[in-house]
Amino acid sequence: MNRYDGSTFIQYSVLSNPTLTNGVITSLFQDPAGYIWIGTENGLNILDPTSNEIRRFIHNDNLAGSLPPGAIRGIQQLKDGTILLLSDRWLAKADTNLRFTLLRVNPALTQSNMVMTGIAEKANNELWISFLDSGTALTKRIIEKDKSDSISAPLFYTADHPRIFVDSSQINYSISNGGLNRYNLANRVFEPWIKTEIADKSTNLHVHTCYAIDADGNIWQGAEKINLVKYDLKQRKAIDYKWLLVSSSASMTNVVYRDNSNNIWLGTDNGIIRISSRVSFLEPLPFSLNGKHLQNIRCRRIIVDKDNNLYAGTENYGLISRPVNGVTTRALSTFGGFAISRLPNPDNRIHVLLDGKLDIGYMYDLWYDNDNSIWVAGYSIGRYDLRKGTLDVFLTENNEQLRRESITQFSLCRADSLFWTGGQFNVFTFNPATYEMKPFIDNRGLQPFHGTPTWSMVNYGGYIWAGTYKGLYTINPHTHEVARDTVFPVSDYGINDILVAKDGSFWISTAGGGIIHYNTATHKSTQYSTQEGLSNNTVCGILEDDNNNLWISTYAGLSYLDKKTGQFTNFYAKDGLTTDEFNRKAFFKLPDGRMIFGGLNGYTIFNPRDAFRNEKPMSLILTRFTKTNGNGEVMETIFGANDLKKIVIAPDDTFFSFGVALTDMYDPSGNNYTYQLKGLDNKWHSAGNDGIISFNSPPAGNYTLVIRGRINKGSIAQNEIMIPITVRQVYYKTAWFFILMILLVAVIIYMVVQYRIRQIRKLQLLRTRIASDLHDEVGGSLVRITMLTDAMKREGQKDKTEEQLGVISGISRGAISTMKDVIWSIDARNDNLIGLIDHIHEHTHQMLVPAQIEYEFNDNGLHGNAKMHMDSRQHIYLIYKEAINNIVKHSGATLVKISISRQDGVFSLRIQDNGKGITNGNGRRTSGQGMENMKMRAAKMKASLEITTNNGTTILLIVPSK
């Protein structure tokens, strides 16, 4: 099964998603709720068109209320709402819970040679049941007290094997190969009503018959042997449509269906055929000569006289005439008759009676003087006398070349006392008073139009306007001054015709450039072509209707231009035109406002007021929504799209589109859609006829998409689609992101400021510490040196001077060492383990060697490039320095063991001597200022410091990793 949404077909099968119970579709039915019931060779499917979900029902012996086995041949809803399902030999009804109950069918209706094919409901619970190879039976539906149903024994059998149709008046018709029969209730028999050409000539055995009723009550029948026929019940006649199948290379109609727009659809053995139920406002203008309709008329100019008679110049029938409101035609001349060119022309004039026997040549243009004369441009210029029925043809002077150039005239106009004609080879003037036809000579004595085909001559504003294949020219009829009017882009195309509109502007038909609107006052022009919606760029002629809008005949259809909106509507042969290809000059507007256009297959007549009458109300629906993100992933919503209430577009959704369709799908290619995105530009844009509206990365914001639709005939959908759309902003352009960035910048600035403050504080602390160290250590040493120096000056004793100089030397060395320690502690180049070990080595050597104390130093396995913080490095060194100084001064040791290690980031320092330990004179441990300083420095590093005395003193410093 295929579903048509106005632009594409969507297939359902056993392989689709959702799936059907079987791929062979045997019946279709749409219930009042809109659900589609799909009967197959194996079960029933119910499709929800909105959600695209299918419920499947097949036979199950173990499930009560299960669908009976077999193919579903028909689905019928009765007047009381009951839905019946028909199979070959059973009937079942479905309840509201979709449980199925078999009807008890009388055995006479289910014999082995009887296969049910259809049901029709008659009045009073009577049913017609049709069979494949048996007569149709009239039965009665019996509703039991327990609400179960049964079908009675046959009350009546038809003589043939028809399908039954019951109209709204309860008239029963049987439809079969023999035609249409009507049921006589009194005699209980079907009587012949409308017969087909093959009635009673063939059997109905195994003949498939299908039918549908159109909006006018006509019956369309498709069958194996009669192909396709329409029964007009009002006129009681059968119309054979076999030609329609033949034109589509089909030979059999399998199904006939009427849609909600009253179109008839035919399913044939070679595709689908659609028949419009609309009555076209476009009608052929028939001409009937001697009881026969003239076919394939190749048309030129047509006009009407004051007595309401039409005169048509044709290429293949000559000049013909008929009343506007009649069809009986008079042939005034005959194509292929005796040619008037062979007649004598004394005084350059041919005078003949138009009795339908002569060939007067092609007639391209006709001009009526509103009295008794029709002037003809074709074979030179001629005057047809309406009272006498005579034609006078006027020729140029007896000059062979000049006469040859004058006998093919395309257009004429009247200016004062002269006629002006434009032809294949030149422009001529004709004086009806003197009967003189002369080539036009300008004020310079030249023939400016010689060799230039001129298809249009217009008298307007005191000038003759000549439309040629080289462009537009103006002629002053008094001075004979000629000027080429550079109408852009008319100069690029030949001119076929010029319409002077009611406002005085020109609408110019061109050969290849569409139409040009030319303002004769401002000399400004506007071009309309297929790009704006015109059906074809070769335009034959233009007429202005009573609403000042334009009707334009082209080489490919008839176009209508609404001047206010600038929108085109196009009509083609499928809409009722006799042809899609029109001819130049073949157009005319009747006094009552009707218009006539002619082409290669006759004339079409219509009233513009009827063109856009309202058709059956139709709706606009949303059929799909698609969006694509930045990764190229496509998300598409088809079913249920019409229920979308709001669309949200993420920042990475680069593209999104909507699909719309009208419920009138007679001619989807002719439907037109417009849309407006409120909040963006508020302009109406054309979406063409494919119903696809696309957007590519619009700016972030909240919008409302408004969509309108109309069919080709102009009827507008009764609803508009309005969809709120939110396009989200990319995160880095949102307000919260800007606020967050401001806060982040503020935090960074705050952290930078705080860092700089901390650095300044560290520098200040470093400076304070250096100053303190220099003041405490070096300052004290310098004071002692100063005091000793002053004492030496006062005492002046040599022996004491030497002693004091030794003291001063020691103090100086101590100050230098202190200065060196301070500089070492702040030098960043020493912020590593090797710097610490080298300094410890140096101090150990300086202190223990002079004191004749041996030492062992173990620092194996250490990586000297390991980084150490300046504070930790200084604290460790000063603790070590204090410990060595104490050993030298107080321990009396002869051996010191020093061990430095670092494992898993933990630094350890062990100092062990063999001295007397840290005790006072009573044998108790002492705790001086140096010990307290060591503990304080360990605490600052969050390190542990252990001091033990056992056959000497052991100091263990453990510094955890940071």
Side-chain angles (χ1 to χ4, degrees):
M1 184 184 78
N2 292 279
R3 174 179 177 176
Y4 183 53
D5 68 358
S7 59
T8 58
F9 282 95
I10 302 168
Q11 187 180 66
Y12 297 86
S13 68
V14 293
L15 300 177
S16 65
N17 184 19
T19 64
L20 299 177
T21 57
N22 189 271
V24 180
I25 310 301
T26 53
S27 56
L28 288 173
F29 166 73
Q30 184 172 22
D31 66 21
Y35 296 105
I36 308 298
W37 295 51
I38 308 164
T40 72
E41 287 283 355
N42 181 29
L44 174 70
N45 307 266
I46 300 180
L47 168 66
D48 182 344
T50 301
S51 65
N52 196 38
E53 295 178 349
I54 290 180
R55 295 184 63 182
R56 291 170 290 278
F57 302 88
I58 59 174
H59 177 67
N60 187 341
D61 288 329
N62 299 319
L63 181 64
S66 172
L67 184 72
I72 310 298
R73 301 298 181 193
I75 305 171
Q76 175 82 30
Q77 185 169 30
L78 303 181
K79 296 175 184 177
D80 63 1
T82 300
I83 295 179
L84 292 184
L85 279 71
L86 173 81
S87 187
D88 293 344
R89 290 186 175 82
W90 55 255
L91 285 168
K93 70 176 182 178
D95 64 18
T96 55
N97 296 318
L98 295 178
R99 290 177 299 187
F100 304 94
T101 304
L102 279 171
L103 276 66
R104 294 190 298 275
V105 180
N106 188 279
L109 301 173
T110 57
Q111 299 179 41
S112 60
N113 63 338
M114 301 177 69
V115 176
M116 290 186 282
T117 58
I119 304 174
E121 185 178 16
K122 194 174 176 291
N124 302 319
N125 281 330
E126 291 181 332
L127 299 177
W128 293 98
I129 301 179
S130 301
F131 299 89
L132 182 61
D133 290 332
S134 302
T136 297
L138 177 62
T139 66
K140 192 170 185 67
R141 175 187 172 209
I142 302 171
I143 304 175
E144 307 291 349
K145 293 182 179 180
D146 61 358
K147 296 186 179 180
S148 63
D149 290 21
S150 62
I151 304 298
S152 72
L155 306 176
F156 166 77
Y157 276 111
T158 61
D160 54 2
H161 316 135
R163 299 291 296 274
I164 305 298
F165 163 61
V166 181
D167 69 11
S168 58
S169 300
Q170 293 302 309
I171 298 175
N172 294 224
Y173 296 92
S174 70
I175 309 166
S176 68
N177 247 14
L180 191 70
N181 299 322
R182 181 169 172 169
Y183 186 59
N184 186 320
L185 182 61
N187 299 330
R188 305 199 70 160
V189 65
F190 279 97
E191 299 172 341
W193 188 253
I194 303 175
K195 287 192 175 184
T196 64
E197 294 181 359
I198 60 171
D200 303 324
K201 294 181 182 180
S202 62
T203 177
N204 281 327
L205 292 177
H206 273 84
V207 171
H208 172 78
T209 293
C210 54
Y211 73 92
I213 314 303
D214 67 19
D216 296 323
N218 301 311
I219 300 174
W220 291 79
Q221 179 194 5
E224 184 176 348
K225 294 187 177 181
I226 66 172
N227 298 114
L228 181 67
V229 65
K230 181 176 82 170
Y231 297 105
D232 187 329
L233 300 184
K234 296 177 182 178
Q235 300 186 35
R236 285 189 67 176
K237 67 178 182 179
I239 305 171
D240 186 10
Y241 276 83
K242 180 180 179 179
W243 63 268
L244 181 60
L245 298 184
V246 172
S247 65
S248 300
S249 300
S251 61
M252 180 177 176
T253 304
N254 297 315
V255 62
V256 185
Y257 174 73
R258 188 183 85 180
D259 66 15
N260 291 333
S261 298
N262 294 327
N263 300 306
I264 298 295
W265 296 77
L266 309 174
T268 76
D269 55 357
N270 191 37
I272 298 174
I273 299 174
R274 178 178 52 198
I275 303 173
S276 174
S277 63
R278 298 172 180 166
V279 178
S280 175
F281 76 102
L282 301 165
E283 299 178 357
L285 182 66
F287 289 83
S288 180
L289 186 62
N290 299 324
K292 293 184 179 181
H293 286 285
L294 302 184
Q295 303 292 327
N296 303 317
I297 301 175
R298 295 197 295 274
C299 309
R300 291 297 178 183
R301 179 73 81 193
I302 185 170
I303 62 171
V304 65
D305 67 11
K306 63 182 180 181
D307 296 323
N308 223 22
N309 293 310
L310 289 172
Y311 294 85
T314 73
E315 294 181 357
N316 54 340
Y317 289 104
L319 181 63
I320 55 178
S321 175
R322 52 152 277 192
V324 170
N325 298 319
V327 296
T328 303
T329 302
R330 290 186 302 132
L332 302 180
S333 68
T334 298
F335 178 76
F338 187 84
I340 61 172
S341 60
R342 298 167 59 186
L343 295 175
N345 49 74
D347 301 324
N348 303 320
R349 178 179 178 183
I350 301 173
H351 178 78
V352 294
L353 176 68
L354 290 188
D355 56 2
K357 298 178 181 179
L358 298 175
D359 184 349
I360 63 174
Y362 287 165
M363 291 143 288
Y364 292 102
D365 205 358
L366 302 174
W367 188 85
Y368 178 51
D369 67 358
N370 294 318
D371 190 9
N372 295 309
S373 297
I374 294 177
W375 292 86
V376 182
Y379 183 77
S380 191
I381 184 172
R383 181 175 70 88
Y384 176 63
D385 190 318
L386 297 175
R387 293 171 298 179
K388 300 178 181 179
T390 59
L391 174 70
D392 289 286
V393 178
F394 305 97
L395 305 173
T396 62
E397 62 185 40
N398 195 11
N399 179 304
E400 184 177 351
Q401 179 180 349
L402 190 60
R403 181 163 293 183
R404 185 169 60 249
E405 293 176 352
S406 69
I407 60 175
T408 305
Q409 298 300 307
F410 296 147
S411 59
L412 60 85
C413 71
R414 183 78 180 258
D416 297 329
S417 61
L418 296 179
F419 277 102
W420 293 75
T421 70
Q424 179 69 34
F425 303 102
N426 211 341
V427 170
F428 291 83
T429 60
F430 174 73
N431 189 329
T434 63
Y435 305 139
E436 290 182 310
M437 186 175 185
K438 298 179 179 180
F440 169 71
I441 298 175
D442 67 10
N443 58 344
R444 298 173 299 172
L446 303 177
Q447 297 184 32
F449 297 99
H450 188 266
T452 302
T454 303
W455 275 95
S456 184
M457 303 288 289
V458 173
N459 178 15
Y460 178 76
Y463 292 91
I464 303 298
W465 298 77
T468 76
Y469 90 101
K470 292 183 178 180
L472 184 65
Y473 292 81
T474 57
I475 305 172
N476 188 318
H478 304 291
T479 66
H480 285 205
E481 184 179 359
V482 177
R484 189 169 188 265
D485 202 313
T486 56
V487 181
F488 177 83
V490 167
S491 57
D492 297 332
Y493 307 100
I495 296 177
N496 287 336
D497 198 74
I498 302 172
L499 167 72
V500 181
K502 296 173 186 176
D503 61 4
S505 62
F506 285 2
W507 291 88
I508 302 173
S509 306
T510 74
I515 58 177
I516 309 296
H517 182 216
Y518 178 56
N519 189 315
T520 55
T522 64
H523 300 281
K524 293 182 179 179
S525 62
T526 304
Q527 183 178 21
Y528 297 85
S529 66
T530 53
Q531 187 173 354
E532 286 71 37
L534 185 67
S535 64
N536 188 267
N537 284 335
T538 297
V539 178
C540 299
I542 306 173
L543 292 175
E544 187 175 26
D545 65 20
D546 293 340
N547 293 321
N548 301 328
N549 296 314
L550 303 181
W551 294 84
I552 306 142
S553 61
T554 75
Y555 272 11
L558 179 70
S559 292
Y560 165 81
L561 174 61
D562 187 320
K563 288 184 182 179
K564 293 181 179 179
T565 64
Q567 188 168 15
F568 284 90
T569 303
N570 298 322
F571 301 86
Y572 303 95
K574 64 182 181 181
D575 301 307
L577 294 175
T578 58
T579 180
D580 282 339
E581 184 173 351
F582 291 91
N583 281 339
R584 288 176 287 195
K585 299 296 180 183
F587 52 89
F588 187 74
K589 182 180 178 181
L590 296 173
D592 61 7
R594 287 184 294 170
M595 295 180 175
I596 301 174
F597 286 93
L600 298 183
N601 187 33
Y603 296 93
T604 298
I605 185 171
F606 63 92
N607 192 328
R609 291 190 295 269
D610 296 334
F612 300 108
R613 63 181 183 272
N614 291 329
E615 302 285 348
K616 182 178 179 179
M618 59 185 169
S619 299
L620 182 65
I621 58 175
L622 188 65
T623 59
R624 66 183 63 214
F625 169 70
T626 304
K627 67 177 180 178
T628 305
N629 63 23
N631 297 324
E633 298 171 341
V634 178
M635 187 279 287
E636 186 172 43
T637 300
I638 298 179
F639 301 98
N642 202 46
D643 295 327
L644 292 175
K645 303 301 181 184
K646 183 178 181 180
I647 300 297
V648 177
I649 303 300
D652 64 338
D653 291 336
T654 57
F655 175 85
F656 62 97
S657 65
F658 300 86
V660 294
L662 290 166
T663 54
D664 186 330
M665 296 181 183
Y666 165 69
D667 183 16
S669 63
N671 294 341
N672 291 286
Y673 306 93
T674 55
Y675 69 93
Q676 177 191 56
L677 192 59
K678 289 185 176 180
L680 184 62
D681 60 6
N682 297 326
K683 295 180 181 178
W684 286 98
H685 304 273
S686 173
N689 57 15
D690 60 0
I692 301 298
I693 301 169
S694 303
F695 300 95
N696 191 1
S697 300
N702 295 313
Y703 309 106
T704 300
L705 177 63
V706 184
I707 309 173
R708 295 174 179 172
R710 71 170 194 163
I711 62 173
N712 192 30
K713 298 293 187 297
S715 297
I716 300 174
Q718 59 186 347
N719 67 305
E720 292 182 347
I721 292 178
M722 301 183 69
I723 308 172
I725 300 175
T726 296
V727 180
R728 289 179 177 171
Q729 184 63 274
V730 64
Y731 73 91
Y732 53 79
K733 292 184 179 180
T734 58
W736 65 264
F737 182 80
F738 284 119
I739 294 173
L740 182 62
M741 288 298 99
I742 292 172
L743 292 175
L744 180 59
V745 171
V747 169
I748 292 173
I749 293 174
Y750 173 79
M751 293 177 67
V752 170
V753 171
Q754 290 299 313
Y755 173 77
R756 294 190 63 186
I757 292 173
R758 286 194 299 272
Q759 291 301 107
I760 293 172
R761 287 178 177 174
K762 285 182 180 181
L763 182 59
Q764 290 176 343
L765 288 173
L766 180 60
R767 294 171 62 188
T768 301
R769 192 183 71 189
I770 293 172
S772 177
D773 289 346
L774 292 176
H775 178 272
D776 294 344
E777 300 290 339
V778 179
S781 298
L782 293 176
V783 169
R784 290 177 62 193
I785 291 173
T786 302
M787 292 176 63
L788 288 172
T789 305
D790 291 342
M792 288 172 61
K793 289 180 179 179
R794 289 194 301 269
E795 295 176 359
Q797 298 178 4
K798 183 177 181 181
D799 54 346
K800 288 186 179 181
T801 298
E802 291 180 355
E803 180 183 351
Q804 289 175 342
L805 287 173
V807 173
I808 290 172
S809 176
I811 293 172
S812 299
R813 284 193 297 270
I816 292 172
S817 177
T818 300
M819 285 288 292
K820 186 176 181 180
D821 288 345
V822 171
I823 294 171
W824 173 83
S825 67
I826 64 175
D827 191 347
R829 292 173 295 178
N830 296 320
D831 288 344
N832 50 55
L833 191 56
I834 193 171
L836 175 63
I837 294 174
D838 288 346
H839 207 54
I840 287 175
H841 270 291
E842 182 180 356
H843 184 72
T844 303
H845 184 76
Q846 290 177 353
M847 294 299 295
L848 296 183
V849 171
Q852 295 182 351
I853 300 174
E854 295 182 3
Y855 66 91
E856 296 177 1
F857 207 103
N858 182 13
D859 59 358
N860 295 332
L862 292 177
H863 298 287
N865 59 353
K867 292 293 183 180
M868 294 194 72
H869 193 272
M870 181 185 70
D871 291 338
S872 298
R873 177 168 55 83
Q874 185 182 28
H875 288 316
I876 292 171
Y877 173 72
L878 293 177
I879 290 173
Y880 177 79
K881 182 178 180 181
E882 182 66 29
I884 295 300
N885 289 344
N886 287 338
I887 291 173
V888 172
K889 293 179 180 179
H890 308 295
S891 69
T894 60
L895 177 64
V896 178
K897 295 180 179 180
I898 304 158
S899 175
I900 300 175
S901 65
R902 187 171 188 176
Q903 186 174 2
D904 297 331
V906 178
F907 178 87
S908 63
L909 171 64
R910 180 186 293 271
I911 307 170
Q912 185 178 5
D913 65 48
N914 60 354
K916 60 184 178 181
I918 305 174
T919 58
N920 57 18
N922 298 324
R924 297 178 181 177
R925 291 184 59 184
T926 62
S927 178
Q929 186 62 36
M931 287 291 188
E932 292 302 324
N933 287 340
M934 293 169 66
K935 292 178 180 179
M936 179 191 66
R937 292 185 184 278
K940 287 182 178 180
M941 294 186 294
K942 296 182 180 180
S944 65
L945 180 66
E946 296 181 6
I947 303 174
T948 59
T949 299
N950 184 10
N951 297 323
T953 302
T954 301
I955 298 174
L956 177 61
L957 175 67
I958 298 177
V959 183
S961 62
K962 291 186 178 181

